[in-house]
Amino acid sequence: AADVVHLCATWANDSGAAIYVDGAKVKEGELAMGKTKKAGGVMNIGQEQDSLGGGYDGNQAFAGSLYNLNMFNMKLSDDQVTKLYGEGTFCEMVPDDMWKVGM
């Protein structure tokens, strides 16, 4: 059986991006600083896109399972990522204090 890994990527236009593996930050840096993303777009998960709006190659598709996929409308802090990782227990639910209603 394959190992289960907790991955988290965060980004904000004023503070850059960070990548976490099993609750620990492994990379951070400036990415699209000062840029904004328009509403109404499409996010592809598990498939590399060769051109805007299409151009998919079936040989580049993700073959596996995703469990407990969450997306937030804010950049998570180091503490929030650690909390979601839950010491390897992978929170079954997003903690109540991380919900922002009406955003």
Side-chain angles (χ1 to χ4, degrees), residues 11-79:
W11 174 81
N13 68 353
D14 62 347
S15 58
I19 298 173
Y20 301 79
V21 177
D22 290 341
K25 187 185 302 179
V26 296
K27 184 81 173 173
E28 67 179 325
E30 294 184 3
L31 177 69
M33 300 295 288
K35 304 287 184 184
T36 58
K37 301 296 174 195
K38 294 180 183 177
V42 175
M43 176 167 227
N44 294 305
I45 298 173
Q47 178 68 64
E48 189 266 331
Q49 188 174 6
D50 294 322
S51 62
L52 185 60
Y56 299 105
D57 180 342
N59 293 319
Q60 298 171 333
F62 172 74
S65 297
L66 296 175
Y67 169 75
N68 208 5
L69 177 66
N70 298 298
M71 296 181 76
F72 299 90
N73 63 351
M74 63 183 190
K75 182 177 181 182
L76 300 179
S77 68
D78 293 346
D79 289 340

Side-chain angles (χ1 to χ4, degrees), residues 72-92:
F72 299 90
N73 63 351
M74 63 183 190
K75 182 177 181 182
L76 300 179
S77 68
D78 293 346
D79 289 340
Q80 289 171 317
V81 172
T82 299
K83 191 174 189 177
L84 285 174
Y85 174 59
E87 300 292 326
T89 62
F90 306 103
C91 289
E92 292 181 13

